[in-house]
Amino acid sequence: MTAPVQPTGPADHPVPPPGCPAHGGGSNRIPLHGADFAADPDSVYARLREYGPAAPVELAPGVDAKLVTSYGTALKVLRGTQTFVKDARRWRALATGEVSADNPVVPMMVYRPNCLYADGEAHTRLRSAVTDSLDRVDPHELRHYVEQSADALIDDFSRAGTADLIGDYAKRLPLLVFKQMFGCPGDIGDRLVAGMSGIFDGVDAEKANEMLTRATIDLITLKHQRPGADVTSWLMAHPAQLTDEEVIHQLVVLLGAGTEPQQNLIANTLRLLLADDRFAGDLSGGSLPVEDALDEVLWTTYTPMANYAVHYPVQDTELDGVRFREGEPIVISFAAANTDPSLPAGHRAGNRAHLAWSAGPHTCPAKSPARLIATVAIEKLLDRLPDLELAVPVGELSWRPGPFHRALSSLPVRFPRSAAPAQPDENPGARSWHSSPPAPSDSTPPAATSTVSPPSSTPSAPRRSWSFRTLWRRGR
């Protein structure tokens, strides 16, 4: 197992020519919206690196920002809590009306009283409620429910011989899991996910934001009447004594992390497994297990959240040769930072030093369950449909536009028709959702981002390709 890449500072950057917009001169900004960026973000990131560790971009028409493309500079911003803060009320262009409230990216950036946009003691309080509530979810129960939900979805389309793994699987599975974890009935869950999807896509984002807010209020109202063993109820009962408004906004940030990015992690990893020769062939021919495919996706420009973690300088400042203005949005490009040419190439399997989950005090609090859900979802699909293959050439797959995510429009596949559904539980419905004992937190997560996954043992007998890899990963 390779050692994780250690965070390093940027190399000496060449001094840009006078008037370089990255250093305050000029007004040219590279758009991160539209079909061109969605189709070929790598070329855009290469162009942005010519400006140095950060570059001027346009997130949507009329919305300017600086995009950090350097791994080392990204870590400095993510950990520089005294200089770079998350409170979006510091966004000067929005406060002055230069950016209108109905701009499509505003719902993804505007201040909400949740742990994502809080700093200091306020962040510690809100973050503790979120992490403590998530820690009460039993991972064994979560695995069981993902497997159960995955089987039900695969049963729905397995007799057809074709499917769109976005609409039929990757998009629906996180919704089912979210409903279970958060004690969310079907109608409310549908509206929550529809609202969040609209915000990510920037399509009628103001209406989507209203739908999301209304659905979350309805869920809180329901839990006041009928609390249960679920994350929503645990948030409401936490010693931090969150107000209803605070609970609503913690749910919004958890929903944002648990649906759209989760869908993209599952779909982008399936695309890699089906299209890349390193993964798509026989294990003896050099293919790698699901966990390694996940690491590959999280290290590349196919990472589910490509650009986010917006910060704001508290004053005009210079970092690594780039001037940042007070109140200017600084967006971290996880995709570009993870593929920074200054980092050692290769050896991504088992290396968790990537920034896909962010870093510093705002590291994603749900990264463990998110990875478990994706792993189980992919394993289950490939075990059930071992002859799965893309129905179109990989180059014909299209990507949804948007500055923040890396999201396929569809993932059409074909496979031999299945005649029988998966074997149901012996006693369906008897298993209830349990929780682990609560474990109160007393600090923000440590700054270190590098962890190594435990080694696995190889199986003892040949099996079909996908099932073989699944068992290999589980150490059986």
Side-chain angles (χ1 to χ4, degrees):
M1 187 65 67
T2 59
V5 175
Q6 296 300 315
T8 59
D12 292 334
H13 296 288
V15 178
C20 171
H23 284 64
S27 59
N28 295 327
R29 290 182 177 270
I30 298 175
L32 296 188
H33 54 87
D36 290 344
F37 174 67
D40 188 13
D42 295 88
S43 296
V44 176
Y45 296 139
R47 181 182 173 195
L48 289 169
R49 289 192 182 100
E50 296 176 3
Y51 291 94
V57 296
E58 184 182 67
L59 301 176
V63 181
D64 296 340
K66 286 277 179 62
L67 188 76
V68 176
T69 58
S70 158
Y71 184 95
T73 305
L75 280 177
K76 292 177 182 178
V77 173
L78 293 169
R79 295 174 176 172
T81 56
Q82 298 304 309
T83 304
F84 304 101
V85 298
K86 296 283 289 179
D87 190 337
R89 290 172 293 188
R90 290 181 174 271
W91 185 4
R92 175 174 291 183
L94 183 65
T96 61
E98 183 180 344
V99 172
S100 63
D102 62 355
N103 192 285
V105 298
V106 166
M108 283 288 289
M109 297 174 64
V110 71
Y111 173 79
R112 303 176 193 266
N114 64 34
C115 58
L116 181 62
Y117 296 100
D119 301 289
E121 293 181 2
H123 173 259
T124 300
R125 172 175 167 268
L126 297 174
R127 173 84 179 206
S128 69
V130 169
T131 54
D132 291 349
S133 298
L134 289 174
D135 285 346
R136 294 185 68 173
V137 175
D138 186 330
H140 302 292
E141 292 292 333
L142 179 58
R143 171 179 285 275
H144 168 81
Y145 192 75
V146 176
E147 290 178 338
Q148 187 181 60
S149 301
D151 273 329
L153 293 175
I154 296 167
D155 289 343
D156 284 347
F157 62 76
S158 60
R159 292 182 179 87
T162 62
D164 171 16
L165 292 183
I166 302 293
D168 295 331
Y169 194 67
K171 187 172 184 176
R172 296 176 63 190
L173 183 61
L175 170 58
L176 294 175
V177 175
F178 179 86
K179 289 177 180 177
Q180 184 74 3
M181 287 180 65
F182 292 81
C184 191
D187 172 63
I188 295 177
D190 291 343
R191 287 185 286 134
L192 284 170
V193 175
M196 185 58 71
S197 297
I199 289 173
F200 270 97
D201 288 341
V203 177
D204 205 353
E206 190 172 15
K207 180 180 178 181
N209 192 44
E210 292 174 2
M211 179 189 299
L212 177 65
T213 301
R214 184 69 257 173
T216 314
I217 291 172
D218 290 346
L219 178 60
I220 297 298
T221 302
L222 175 66
K223 290 303 168 183
H224 274 302
Q225 299 168 355
R226 298 198 303 270
D230 53 67
V231 173
T232 306
S233 300
W234 296 330
L235 277 171
M236 295 170 67
H238 192 271
Q241 297 183 325
L242 305 188
T243 66
D244 280 359
E245 182 182 9
E246 288 174 331
V247 172
I248 288 169
H249 289 291
Q250 308 326 301
L251 290 176
V252 168
V253 75
L254 288 171
L255 175 65
T259 52
E260 175 76 22
Q262 187 75 63
Q263 164 191 323
N264 298 337
L265 180 57
I266 294 170
N268 294 355
T269 306
L270 283 168
R271 172 200 165 277
L272 180 70
L273 285 162
L274 296 173
D276 193 308
D277 288 343
R278 293 172 299 162
F279 300 89
D282 190 297
L283 186 65
S284 62
S287 62
L288 304 172
V290 169
E291 287 280 11
D292 290 348
L294 283 169
D295 288 334
E296 180 77 7
V297 166
L298 293 169
W299 265 111
T300 64
T301 52
Y302 296 101
T303 192
M305 288 297 291
N307 308 294
Y308 201 45
V310 187
H311 286 70
Y312 302 88
V314 298
Q315 60 190 16
D316 290 354
T317 189
E318 183 169 313
L319 177 65
D320 294 336
V322 179
R323 288 200 298 271
F324 297 100
R325 295 177 299 165
E326 182 269 328
E328 172 188 33
I330 301 175
V331 179
I332 304 299
S333 178
F334 304 126
N338 284 340
T339 55
D340 186 336
S342 70
L343 295 177
H347 304 296
R348 290 167 174 158
N351 186 337
R352 307 290 161 78
H354 56 73
L355 300 182
W357 308 115
S358 192
H362 288 275
T363 301
C364 176
K367 60 184 178 181
S368 294
R371 189 173 181 113
L372 186 151
I373 292 166
T375 301
V376 175
I378 295 166
E379 288 175 345
K380 175 60 72 171
L381 180 69
L382 298 180
D383 269 349
R384 289 283 307 275
L385 303 173
D387 297 316
L388 193 70
E389 62 181 14
L390 288 177
V392 299
V394 66
E396 294 183 10
L397 296 174
S398 62
W399 299 87
R400 288 160 45 203
F404 304 117
H405 57 201
R406 185 64 171 147
L408 284 162
S409 300
S410 63
L411 187 58
V413 294
R414 58 183 173 232
F415 47 86
R417 290 182 177 87
S418 173
Q423 193 69 24
D425 286 349
E426 293 181 5
N427 188 8
R431 182 185 291 266
S432 60
W433 187 264
H434 301 297
S435 70
S436 300
S441 62
D442 56 7
S443 65
T444 55
T449 61
S450 304
T451 57
V452 181
S453 58
S456 302
S457 60
T458 54
S460 58
R463 298 176 184 267
R464 289 187 299 179
S465 176
W466 294 120
S467 297
F468 187 107
R469 278 201 286 284
T470 299
L471 296 176
W472 186 94
R473 190 202 67 77
R474 291 176 178 171
R476 297 179 184 174

